[in-house]
Amino acid sequence: MKDILKSDAKFRYMMLGRFQRDCEYYLNFGNRNSNVLWSLDEGKHIENMKALHNSFEENDKPEWLTWEQILEYEKLMLIVEPRSTAIE
């Protein structure tokens, strides 16, 4: 990830878009399987998205992906499903 953060803005925009598409697939058609994420881990994936988003100057941040949207992905992807405590 360090090398990506050192890349030019165009490449970082492309990677952020890739990460966003990974989130959408994970949440919709990917059956919440972390193997569909570039980072292979939900927490790390969100952490990487935040780092990419923060790598842009304030006036260069993407309009198509806000900080609030990243936080929403984080909330949706890091939900821990409650386990049944009933004995079957």
Side-chain angles (χ1 to χ4, degrees):
M1 189 63 192
K2 291 177 187 177
D3 291 336
I4 292 172
L5 293 173
K6 293 178 185 176
S7 299
D8 63 32
K10 181 179 179 180
F11 184 73
R12 287 181 287 131
Y13 279 120
M14 290 179 358
M15 287 302 294
L16 191 55
R18 157 72 192 273
F19 283 21
Q20 182 183 26
R21 286 187 304 278
D22 284 358
C23 290
E24 288 295 326
Y25 188 79
Y26 170 90
L27 291 167
N28 293 296
F29 302 106
N31 200 27
R32 300 182 68 87
N33 183 342
S34 62
N35 288 330
V36 304
L37 302 172
W38 184 89
S39 304
L40 301 175
D41 173 87
E42 295 88 345
K44 188 69 174 166
H45 197 76
I46 296 297
E47 181 182 316
N48 288 336
M49 286 182 79
K50 288 178 176 179
L52 273 171
H53 196 271
N54 286 331
S55 73
F56 297 102
E57 296 294 325
E58 197 59 40
N59 60 336
D60 290 330
K61 293 198 185 291
E63 295 177 6
W64 44 266
L65 181 63
T66 65
W67 185 256
E68 291 74 21
Q69 288 171 299
I70 294 172
L71 295 179
E72 185 63 24
Y73 283 127
E74 180 176 41
K75 188 173 21 171
L76 293 170
M77 292 171 67
L78 298 180
I79 292 173
V80 177
E81 303 270 337
R83 292 187 179 180
S84 174
T85 57
I87 299 174
E88 297 179 24

